[in-house]
């Protein structure tokens, strides 16, 4: 059973099932789609593995200036979300277009 859940397999499945982003539903009143659920599964599995946590930490240390700029962009997005009229839509866009792809790519690169 442990061999079935490998991070490489989950990444491949997620990339193969990219067209399923059209399948939308809600989880605890949070609108999401199937692609986001797959991305979250890859991120969680990557964070559970000890080897991946070390590699992710090393990647962040190597690219410190890049992550500083990403942090600045996140601060700008959050500020604009608070100032917008519809905060739920704004944070949904931030989650779907920035947060999940960022962490997914970080888990792939590690």
């Amino acid at each position: 059973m442990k061999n079935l859940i490998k991070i490489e397999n989950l990444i491949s499945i997620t990339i193969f099932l990219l067209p399923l982003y059209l399948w939308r539903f809600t989880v605890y009143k949070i609108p999401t789609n199937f692609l986001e659920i797959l991305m979250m599964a890859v991120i969680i599995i990557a964070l559970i593995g000890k080897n991946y946590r070390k590699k992710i930490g090393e990647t962040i240390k190597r690219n410190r200036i890049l992550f500083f700029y990403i942090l600045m962009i996140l601060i700008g997005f959050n500020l604009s979300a608070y100032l917008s009229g519809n905060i739920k839509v704004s944070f949904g866009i931030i989650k779907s277009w920035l947060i999940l792809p960022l962490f997914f790519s970080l888990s792939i690169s590690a």
Side-chain angles (χ1 to χ4, degrees):
M1 182 73 172
K2 195 173 188 179
N3 292 333
L4 292 176
I5 303 177
K6 289 185 178 179
I7 192 73
E8 293 85 9
N9 293 342
L10 284 175
I11 291 169
S12 300
I13 289 170
T14 301
I15 292 172
F16 181 71
L17 296 176
L18 277 173
L20 289 179
Y21 77 93
L22 295 170
W23 187 29
R24 298 185 179 273
F25 51 92
T26 58
V27 177
Y28 298 111
K29 297 183 183 179
I30 300 172
T32 188
N33 59 37
F34 193 70
L35 178 61
E36 290 176 357
I37 298 296
L38 288 173
M39 289 170 69
M40 284 185 237
V42 169
I43 293 166
I44 290 169
I45 297 296
L47 289 175
I48 290 173
K50 291 181 182 180
N51 294 337
Y52 281 100
R53 276 189 273 168
K54 288 180 185 178
K55 289 179 184 179
I56 289 171
E58 292 170 3
T59 304
I60 290 172
K61 286 179 184 176
R62 269 184 291 152
N63 302 316
R64 192 173 300 188
I65 192 75
L66 176 67
F67 283 99
F68 172 74
Y69 290 131
I70 290 172
L71 179 67
M72 296 305 288
I73 290 171
L74 279 173
I75 291 170
F77 278 155
N78 284 325
L79 202 108
S80 67
Y82 281 119
L83 296 176
S84 74
N86 196 345
I87 197 164
K88 185 177 179 182
V89 171
S90 299
F91 281 126
I93 291 172
I94 292 171
K95 171 192 68 138
S96 297
W97 291 358
L98 183 75
I99 303 292
L100 285 177
L102 175 70
F103 286 122
F104 181 72
S105 62
L106 188 62
S107 64
I108 287 176
S109 68

